[in-house]
Amino acid sequence: MGKYIIAGNWKMNKLPSETYDFVKEVASATADASCEVVCCTPFVCLPEAVRAAEGTHVKIGAENLHFEDKGAFTGEVSADMLLDLGVSYVIIGHSERREYFAETDETVNLKIKKALSKGLLPIVCCGETLSQREAGITVDFITIQIKKAFAGISAADAEKVTVAYEPIWAIGTGKTATAEQAEEVCAAIRGVLTELYSEETAEKITVQYGGSMNASNAAELLSKKNIDGGLIGGASLKSADFAAICSAAK
Ligand code: 13P
């Protein structure tokens, strides 16, 4: 299966002035980790995050980007700007951006293509609402999200994408999907990727779980065949908790 990647999504937390020391803490706490360790930070924290990660195993990611190269897009940040800072990863299509900032499957697809064309590694989020789960349409809904996200992307490029399955009802709620629920959807995602590309390509793509993943439940979730990592919100803000999740990823 894909390479294990544990990525923190700081969301709108931590100040630029707190970033350098915190990333250094993460680097030393995860020094023994065998997975890829990524901190995705607010735009304004990125310069300090990159500076702190220099010469360590920690990679830095952004939480969003714009799909155009440059121009009159007040308040937006381009792929070239992120690359210029030394950023490696970028989260695309988080449910909070879809809900509060009107991101659609179409803009998500454009952003993935832009990131890939520039050499940034996308972490693409998908996930169902509670009412979709209760209606029994989770896998159908995720299948559509994945097909639209990967539209027009070659197999060679698809291998560079990480997919994060984040059930919306589990984000920030303390309510984690059971390892069985998470595995069922991550296996379905792998199935869609197999259908779109090939088994070989699908197996190279990292599929993460996200949603109230923490130091206590990470090992069970990460033991599942189709779960190759985690996208961590709340627990990524404490270096010891984040490091414990990284050690569970073997
Ligand atoms: P929590 O880990 O806080 O539930 O957030 C998950 C998430 O949204 C990561 O992108």
Side-chain angles (χ1 to χ4, degrees):
M1 292 294 151
K3 173 173 75 168
Y4 272 89
I5 302 176
I6 302 292
N9 174 9
W10 293 8
K11 307 193 178 182
M12 197 170 73
N13 294 294
K14 297 207 183 283
L15 298 171
S17 59
E18 297 169 320
T19 298
Y20 183 89
D21 287 350
F22 185 77
V23 172
K24 282 286 184 209
E25 251 177 66
V26 167
S28 60
T30 59
D32 296 336
S34 48
C35 61
E36 175 102 316
V37 178
V38 185
C39 291
C40 299
T41 85
F43 288 136
V44 292
C45 297
L46 289 170
E48 285 299 287
V50 169
R51 194 167 72 84
E54 244 161 39
T56 78
H57 60 287
V58 176
K59 300 286 193 312
I60 301 302
E63 299 175 13
N64 182 32
L65 84 168
H66 197 272
F67 52 80
E68 293 291 353
D69 277 335
K70 56 159 76 172
F73 301 101
T74 302
E76 291 296 309
V77 169
S78 71
D80 286 330
M81 292 172 186
L82 298 176
L83 286 165
D84 191 59
L85 287 180
V87 169
S88 322
Y89 284 84
V90 59
I91 298 172
I92 295 176
H94 191 281
S95 59
E96 288 149 16
R97 295 216 53 90
R98 294 180 192 252
E99 182 178 355
Y100 308 131
F101 302 98
E103 295 215 1
T104 62
D105 288 327
E106 289 66 37
T107 58
V108 166
N109 176 253
L110 290 173
K111 289 179 179 200
I112 300 170
K113 285 177 175 158
K114 182 54 67 180
L116 289 168
S117 76
K118 299 284 183 174
L120 284 167
L121 299 169
I123 300 175
V124 179
C125 304
C126 62
E128 81 287 3
T129 61
L130 187 57
S131 61
Q132 287 168 327
R133 174 157 285 270
E134 285 171 352
I137 57 168
T138 297
V139 168
D140 291 343
F141 179 70
I142 305 281
T143 299
I144 294 169
Q145 280 191 319
I146 296 294
K147 285 188 173 167
K148 290 189 168 174
F150 281 86
I153 291 168
S154 70
D157 271 346
E159 287 176 10
K160 298 173 198 146
V161 178
T162 295
V163 175
Y165 166 55
E166 299 206 307
I168 294 169
W169 49 271
I171 295 178
T173 57
K175 209 173 152 192
T176 320
T178 64
E180 289 67 33
Q181 286 172 323
E183 168 63 12
E184 184 196 359
V185 180
C186 291
I189 291 170
R190 191 95 59 196
V192 178
L193 295 169
T194 303
E195 189 190 312
L196 290 176
Y197 300 102
S198 65
E199 204 174 310
E200 198 192 342
T201 300
E203 294 208 345
K204 285 188 186 148
I205 296 175
T206 296
V207 181
Q208 299 174 320
Y209 168 78
S212 300
M213 201 191 243
N214 58 41
S216 334
N217 60 28
E220 195 189 349
L221 286 157
L222 293 166
S223 71
K224 293 293 176 188
K225 180 164 171 269
N226 287 288
I227 303 179
D228 313 319
L231 188 55
I232 321 298
S236 74
L237 301 173
K238 293 196 183 121
S239 58
D241 291 355
F242 188 58
I245 299 172
C246 292
S247 336
K250 293 203 183 76

